[in-house]
Amino acid sequence: HAADAHRTDLMTITRFVLNEQSKYPESRGDFTILLNHIVLGCKFVCSAVNKAGLAKLIGLAGETNVQGEEQKKLDVLSNEVFIKALVSSGRTCILVSEEDEEATFVEQPKRGRYCVVFDPLDGSSNIDCGVSIGTIFGIYMVNDSHEPTLDDVLQPGKNMLAAGYCMYGSSCTLVLSTGEGVNGFTLDPSLGEFILTHPDIKIPKKGKIYSVNEGNAKNWDGPTAKYVEKCKFPKDGSSSKSLRYIGSMVADVHRTLLYGGIFLYPADKKSPNGKLRVLYEVFPMSFLMEQAGGQAFTGKQRALDLVPNKIHERSPIFLGSYDDVEEIKALYAAEEKKE
Ligand code: P6P
């Protein structure tokens, strides 16, 4: 029966990428090997995050463990695991991590053709209160004709080959795009495999939720303030939107992707470039939103067209349902005309 076939036809993330999705057939093997190492990192972090509370209980975290070693903070530990996994894949040449001030250049013979930008544990300040957190990553491919330099990784987001996040919450969910749509996989701990659970995710064209830190309202610019006002007091008689803000980007973006609506981290007087980082927060989430039929805007341009000058550069970001982002683009365009 079809149902049985579905149950026994376990579509793991490895099978899915190998068979179903590959933008560059000639790199099918390399990309799959790279992805498998990212998946390994996610499985490790998932297990460490789930034990974090217990580690505290049995006095491991922040104190010395039985070997007398200082227990590492989860974000430091996660970063080390991802760096080691990516280097050992033999498929990377430059790694940019939120945790490391400088990029990591992979030496021969371990050097490959991919640049990976990632935040190993975004939102990690939320661990202690049990809020979902996540790993965010983006992948560029460089032509291996030259010695890699930072220019190979300071590329516009539209050049990304793939992007994704892994959310460590009630379950461990990995959402990935290799440029042919968005698919979600859930970790089955009994198998240690990510199984396809959310095929071909499409974000609703319009949503009923807006997601922003209202605590920054006094510092917002005109268009953002106008847009949020419109969400709360619609003039056209439509019902006002609901506010949902978790304060952990992966959780807020995952809800936006599945339920629709808009996520905003605008510029404000205190932070003229907003708070979120271009390479490993804004670009991967914008890539996913476009692949799911939504869009992502910086207040000035399409987010994926931005060309970063520094690896930890920040940008304002408005992303989510196509029609909702259109509305805020119109407000910024009107402001532009006035100037
Ligand atoms: P705020 C978490 O610290 C983070 O980097 C993102 O995950 C999240 O979206 C944002 O910052 C929350 O920032 O200023 O609203 O607390």
Side-chain angles (χ1 to χ4, degrees):
H1 303 289
D4 292 350
H6 174 77
R7 246 200 301 281
T8 51
D9 180 21
L10 281 183
M11 179 53 78
T12 66
I13 191 166
T14 306
R15 250 191 77 195
F16 188 83
V17 169
L18 206 55
N19 307 343
E20 319 269 329
Q21 314 239 347
S22 165
K23 247 179 144 177
Y24 301 88
E26 79 287 351
S27 74
R28 185 178 292 229
D30 285 339
F31 182 75
T32 305
I33 289 169
L34 172 65
L35 189 83
N36 277 349
H37 284 77
I38 292 174
V39 164
L40 177 68
C42 292
K43 289 178 186 172
F44 174 88
V45 174
C46 175
S47 149
V49 164
N50 289 348
K51 280 186 220 135
L54 282 175
K56 250 195 193 357
L57 270 184
I58 54 181
L60 280 184
E63 290 163 33
T64 53
N65 61 17
V66 287
Q67 288 85 356
E69 293 145 5
E70 171 63 26
Q71 188 62 23
K72 290 191 172 74
K73 278 164 54 69
L74 266 183
D75 43 8
V76 173
L77 186 67
S78 306
N79 186 51
E80 286 176 9
V81 164
F82 275 107
I83 295 279
K84 288 196 176 88
L86 290 166
V87 170
S88 67
S89 75
R91 298 308 187 276
T92 61
C93 55
I94 307 177
L95 307 176
V96 171
S97 167
E98 191 269 346
E99 287 288 330
D100 296 330
E101 196 48 43
E102 304 303 327
T104 299
F105 289 84
V106 182
E107 298 303 320
Q108 293 297 15
K110 280 288 182 192
R111 186 185 298 165
R113 293 187 298 168
Y114 295 103
C115 297
V116 181
V117 295
F118 64 101
D119 188 343
L121 204 54
D122 184 84
S124 52
S125 56
N126 292 297
I127 294 178
D128 293 351
C129 64
V131 163
S132 298
I133 53 180
T135 299
I136 310 172
F137 61 90
I139 302 171
Y140 292 105
M141 179 144 87
V142 294
N143 44 41
D144 50 0
S145 57
H146 60 276
E147 193 66 19
T149 69
L150 272 193
D151 289 344
D152 290 307
V153 84
L154 292 172
Q155 300 186 44
K158 63 188 168 197
N159 291 0
M160 279 190 174
L161 179 74
Y165 59 80
C166 189
M167 185 171 77
Y168 310 109
S170 49
S171 61
C172 180
T173 306
L174 199 154
V175 172
L176 172 74
S177 174
T178 58
E180 281 127 46
V182 180
N183 292 281
F185 303 82
T186 304
L187 182 65
D188 177 338
S190 66
L191 295 175
E193 289 282 2
F194 279 99
I195 307 296
L196 179 66
T197 47
H198 298 70
D200 196 21
I201 299 174
K202 292 291 175 211
I203 183 170
K205 196 160 179 299
K206 191 162 175 48
K208 299 187 177 65
I209 297 170
Y210 74 104
S211 185
V212 69
N213 182 341
E214 289 259 11
N216 297 331
K218 68 179 182 311
N219 297 321
W220 290 338
D221 63 17
T224 292
K226 277 199 192 86
Y227 178 74
V228 173
E229 181 72 9
K230 194 169 172 295
C231 292
K232 293 152 84 165
F233 305 97
K235 297 268 180 302
D236 58 3
S238 61
S239 51
S240 48
K241 290 187 190 291
S242 293
L243 169 60
R244 294 283 182 276
Y245 192 70
I246 302 168
S248 175
M249 188 183 198
V250 171
D252 278 318
V253 168
H254 190 61
R255 184 209 51 250
T256 304
L257 189 64
L258 296 186
Y259 295 0
I262 186 168
F263 171 80
L264 311 85
Y265 207 105
D268 64 41
K269 295 184 191 94
K270 275 186 319 174
S271 355
N273 284 327
K275 172 182 183 181
L276 299 179
R277 310 287 184 163
V278 173
L279 276 181
Y280 42 77
E281 289 175 317
V282 170
F283 278 169
M285 296 315 203
S286 301
F287 186 96
L288 289 169
M289 280 299 160
E290 288 199 1
Q291 287 290 318
Q295 59 174 325
F297 177 63
T298 66
K300 292 192 173 63
Q301 64 184 104
R302 175 193 179 217
L304 291 181
D305 286 342
L306 193 64
V307 180
N309 299 308
K310 293 216 175 325
I311 58 174
H312 298 297
E313 190 169 308
R314 301 169 194 265
S315 167
I317 184 67
F318 307 89
L319 57 77
S321 293
Y322 193 88
D323 291 356
D324 294 328
V325 178
E326 274 303 286
E327 283 183 34
I328 200 150
K329 278 168 69 176
L331 289 166
Y332 272 96
E335 183 82 357
E336 192 94 2
K337 280 209 189 74
K338 271 191 240 162
E339 281 158 10

